[in-house]
Amino acid sequence: MLPGWYGVGQAMQSADAGLLREMLDAWPFFRATVDNLEMVLSKSDMGIAARYLTLVKDQAMGEVLFGRIRAMWLATQESLLTVTGQTRLLEKHPVLDASIRLRLPYIEPLNLLQVELLKRHRAGETDPRVREGIQLSINAIATALRNSG
């Protein structure tokens, strides 16, 4: 989901919030873009993303890079909420919010399984089921998110 939101918060913070609100009300394309951003952002889980840090060889560098990613996620969320006038993501879209919240508990175990399988693969495990499990977990997560994720 990172390409769907990374950098947007920084861009929105550098723009006039009032103008962005006017654009949100007047421009259907901008509204659709913001709605898509909100949906993608709401499907992103920094807690789960942090689990993938265990795969990084250089932990210090991984922490630095993930810190940037997390800071950008927070900036994007804050900017989006400011522009949309909401107190939480998908506040104005309760059906979509419920749909996503219903799926997330099933996605977390898939991510944890994927991390474990990737560790095994990188450690040199040659069992073909490990590679197949990685591929299946990628497909399962993307299907559950209803996006490529």
Side-chain angles (χ1 to χ4, degrees):
M1 300 293 167
L2 185 103
W5 56 261
Y6 192 85
V8 176
Q10 188 174 12
M12 290 175 97
Q13 286 175 343
S14 67
D16 178 83
L19 176 61
L20 292 175
R21 281 188 210 99
E22 287 178 31
M23 291 169 57
L24 192 63
D25 292 336
W27 296 4
F29 177 78
F30 188 67
R31 163 57 75 183
T33 301
V34 169
D35 286 348
N36 189 53
L37 168 66
E38 185 176 11
M39 182 264 306
V40 172
L41 195 64
S42 69
K43 291 180 180 182
S44 304
D45 185 320
M46 291 298 104
I48 290 174
R51 302 286 187 131
Y52 287 84
L53 275 175
T54 62
L55 299 170
V56 178
K57 287 183 183 179
D58 184 343
Q59 283 293 298
M61 180 58 75
E63 289 290 339
V64 168
L65 291 174
F66 186 69
R68 291 179 189 164
I69 291 169
R70 185 183 354 234
M72 192 63 66
W73 188 91
L74 290 169
T76 302
Q77 180 186 25
E78 179 182 313
S79 297
L80 181 73
L81 294 176
T82 297
V83 169
T84 61
Q86 300 178 114
T87 59
R88 64 177 177 77
L89 294 174
L90 297 175
E91 182 178 327
K92 295 179 181 176
H93 305 284
V95 173
L96 180 57
D97 183 42
S99 175
I100 291 170
R101 287 180 190 270
L102 182 65
R103 286 181 266 145
L104 290 179
Y106 300 98
I107 298 170
E108 185 171 3
L110 292 169
N111 279 281
L112 298 176
L113 175 63
Q114 186 177 79
V115 168
E116 178 59 31
L117 291 171
L118 286 167
K119 282 181 189 176
R120 290 180 185 189
H121 178 71
R122 290 179 177 185
E125 195 165 321
T126 58
D127 186 331
R129 293 176 296 178
V130 170
R131 186 178 182 97
E132 181 182 13
I134 293 169
Q135 292 170 342
L136 288 171
S137 69
I138 290 168
N139 287 331
I141 292 167
T143 299
L145 290 172
R146 295 187 179 170
N147 295 84
S148 55

